[in-house]
Amino acid sequence: MKTCLMASVATAMTLMATGSVAAQEKPGFKDTPMLPGGQWRVHGADRPAPVVVAPAATPGGPPADAVVLFDGRSLDAWKPDRIAWPIADGALTIPSRAKSGGENNLVSKQSFGDVQMHLEFRSPNPPTKTSQDRGNSGIWFMQRYELQILDGSQNPTYADGTVGAVYGWKPPLVNASRRPGEWQTYDIVFERPRFAADGSLVRPAYVTALLNGVLVQNHQAMLGTTIWRQVASYKAHADAAPIQLQDHDSPVSFRNIWVRPLPEAAIAQDLKKDGK
Ligand code: MG
């Protein structure tokens, strides 16, 4: 190992001295076996390097290619159903129904399909009410598929309705909730469903979610459009639609919301069985 390192250093010094770094062939091989799909070789020299994305300076912050939906100051990326959600101390809070006059969801102006999402939320403190009436909100991908937000701390409710649940379908793998009044993080990958031209379902939506850094959904297939007291099902829709934050008549707060629209390559492995 030591010899190898010394050789590498010597090579690098030589290259620096001759100024021929740019002329060097890309690292990798041209004589290794082809991988499934027939496009690239194992360790192939010709395979494009990944695009560089600068991560945030602090964990949880938006990376360089993120679409920032809420930075603590502006509601510009959103359209409320009725009245603006007020901003205070860098956080959005769902206004009371007395002020809004009725259900007042927050809808992103931009539409998305496959996305990575980061969001932070805080359940009301002190908590009031019980079960589904305590700290209820939710992230509705494509305005249809809900990943539940609820006060999950010492708040008994039905399992497929607690925080981290695919509402009405899959409880979270574990309850990783913090206490009311504490900021909580959600990191999510959502894959939109695919429909055939005739509207039939080709591939369901999938969701992977970490709540406070703990896995609560692992590439979980979603059952369909979220619905209360019924079995969800799919109905064909466009490839992109807004993200909606739910108003469920509870003053839940939000901060640091960003998404990264994902390329088809992010899910291609699951679509193409030959590994292309
Ligand atoms: Mg909800």
Side-chain angles (χ1 to χ4, degrees):
M1 180 67 90
K2 190 177 179 184
T3 305
C4 182
L5 178 64
M6 289 177 69
S8 298
V9 170
T11 303
M13 290 180 71
T14 303
L15 290 172
M16 286 168 69
T18 59
S20 59
V21 171
Q24 290 295 304
E25 292 202 344
K26 291 195 294 183
F29 296 85
K30 295 192 173 183
D31 59 352
T32 44
M34 297 301 289
L35 288 164
Q39 193 174 7
W40 309 114
R41 296 182 184 280
V42 179
H43 318 312
D46 296 331
R47 199 166 189 175
V51 170
V52 173
V53 174
T58 54
D65 65 348
V67 176
V68 176
L69 295 178
F70 180 62
D71 64 359
R73 296 188 295 271
S74 168
L75 202 63
D76 285 355
W78 300 90
K79 185 164 54 76
D81 284 343
R82 292 170 179 267
I83 64 169
W85 292 14
I87 300 170
D89 299 326
L92 282 168
T93 300
I94 300 171
S96 70
R97 290 285 173 92
K99 286 185 178 171
S100 65
E103 187 174 333
N104 184 34
N105 303 303
L106 204 58
V107 182
S108 69
K109 291 178 182 172
Q110 190 172 338
S111 290
F112 303 96
D114 307 306
V115 286
Q116 173 188 348
M117 183 172 195
H118 176 91
L119 169 151
E120 296 169 24
F121 71 93
R122 184 179 61 194
S123 302
N125 190 37
T128 60
K129 303 182 183 175
T130 60
S131 184
Q132 292 293 299
D133 291 324
R134 182 182 292 189
N136 195 336
S137 181
I139 305 160
W140 288 62
F141 292 97
M142 310 192 89
Q143 292 193 286
R144 290 172 177 83
Y145 310 107
E146 184 185 19
L147 186 66
Q148 175 71 313
I149 290 175
L150 196 81
D151 179 350
S153 175
Q154 299 181 322
N155 180 31
T157 191
Y158 45 85
D160 69 20
T162 195
V163 64
V166 177
Y167 186 80
W169 171 226
K170 285 292 178 181
L173 294 168
V174 293
N175 181 344
S177 188
R178 295 191 194 279
R179 292 185 296 189
E182 298 179 359
W183 283 104
Q184 313 199 49
T185 62
Y186 246 145
D187 288 281
I188 305 158
V189 176
F190 171 80
E191 299 175 12
R192 67 173 176 84
R194 266 66 176 170
F195 299 97
D198 66 0
S200 60
L201 183 70
V202 174
R203 184 178 187 270
Y206 287 92
V207 65
T208 300
L210 291 90
L211 175 64
N212 300 315
V214 179
L215 186 70
V216 292
Q217 300 288 347
N218 184 21
H219 205 248
Q220 173 62 53
M222 299 177 105
L223 194 58
T225 302
T226 299
I227 190 166
W228 184 54
R229 286 172 55 91
Q230 295 183 49
V231 177
S233 62
Y234 282 99
K235 189 177 178 188
H237 55 74
D239 291 351
I243 293 172
Q244 180 171 304
L245 300 181
Q246 181 189 35
D247 167 21
H248 197 285
D249 196 15
S250 189
V252 179
S253 298
F254 296 85
R255 70 180 185 187
N256 191 21
I257 307 173
W258 53 263
V259 296
R260 295 180 60 243
L262 297 175
E264 191 73 16
I267 61 157
Q269 198 167 30
D270 201 43
L271 281 176
K272 299 173 183 172
K273 299 300 184 190
D274 63 0
K276 282 183 186 172

